[in-house]
Amino acid sequence: MPPRIKKILAPIDFSSCSTASLAQAAEFARQLGAELEVLHVWEMPHGLRPDLMVWIEGTDAKPVSEIAREDAAREMESFLAASSPATRPHADVRLEGGDPVDRILLAARERGADLIVMGTHGRRGLSHLLLGSVAEKVVRRAHCPVLTVPAPGGA
Ligand SMILES: Nc1ncnc2c1ncn2[C@@H]1O[C@H](COP(=O)(O)OP(=O)(O)O)[C@@H](O)[C@H]1O
Ligand SMILES: [Mg+2]
């Protein structure tokens, strides 16, 4: 018997596809009485060491990884504030740093997700591709079913 859907993982990258996929994930969670976990994986700016210290005018020096994490936290806050109220009260919200595909797959396994709901496309939005690069790898490698959701009006 396939497992009952008790936990849904909704990876988001703040794209318009993410808005649609998070709304869908929240609606499934509501209908099924499942838990919803929202995850954003922030990445290091390419080619920079995480411990590289950066000064921004008027602030103390910080490692570049800390700046990337803080930016992601701010984006998460404004994305959730702008999204449907139905998604907010029930969601466990997480930010993790690293490779998005590895982190999403690990989070799904470690936290026992029964379903992953994510966008067909993301920030790069190359719509001639059937799926974005992160979505494609997650679909191929996930231990559980993955539902991909297009942006409103098609990706
Ligand atoms: N860094 C990330 N953290 C969490 N989820 C992500 C991340 N990047 C992409 N995703 C998820 O994967 C979906 C597809 O994005 P992606 O495959 O990266 O497409 P694209 O190549 O168009 O950027 C997004 O809508 C989002 O659900
Ligand atoms: Mg992407």
Side-chain angles (χ1 to χ4, degrees):
M1 263 279 264
R4 205 170 75 80
I5 308 288
K6 295 187 294 297
K7 177 140 194 170
I8 299 175
L9 179 67
I12 60 169
D13 66 353
F14 313 130
S15 61
S16 61
C17 242
S18 276
T19 306
S21 64
L22 180 56
Q24 183 67 74
E27 179 57 18
F28 275 147
R30 197 187 62 75
Q31 287 183 17
L32 300 169
E35 273 175 62
L36 176 63
E37 178 174 320
V38 178
L39 169 68
H40 175 70
V41 183
W42 57 268
E43 290 174 272
M44 276 291 299
H46 288 291
L48 297 183
R49 283 173 36 176
D51 59 351
L52 177 76
M53 296 298 280
V54 175
W55 279 265
I56 297 175
E57 223 176 304
T59 66
D60 292 337
K62 287 179 192 163
V64 69
S65 58
E66 182 60 20
I67 293 173
R69 196 191 60 76
E70 286 175 2
D71 278 354
R74 260 194 299 277
E75 271 195 291
M76 177 69 94
E77 209 172 298
S78 50
F79 183 84
L80 291 180
S83 67
S84 140
T87 57
R88 271 173 264 143
H90 310 291
D92 175 10
V93 177
R94 286 177 189 254
L95 278 178
E96 292 179 7
D99 175 73
V101 174
D102 292 344
R103 283 284 165 183
I104 292 167
L105 292 170
L106 191 68
R109 265 193 189 286
E110 277 188 354
R111 302 201 276 277
D114 306 297
L115 176 69
I116 300 172
V117 179
M118 64 196 300
T120 54
H121 295 83
R123 286 185 149 179
R124 278 209 309 161
L126 300 178
S127 55
H128 61 278
L129 299 175
L130 188 61
L131 286 176
S133 57
V134 173
E136 187 188 335
K137 293 190 188 100
V138 171
V139 166
R140 281 183 199 279
R141 291 166 48 195
H143 78 283
C144 65
V146 180
L147 181 90
T148 57
V149 180

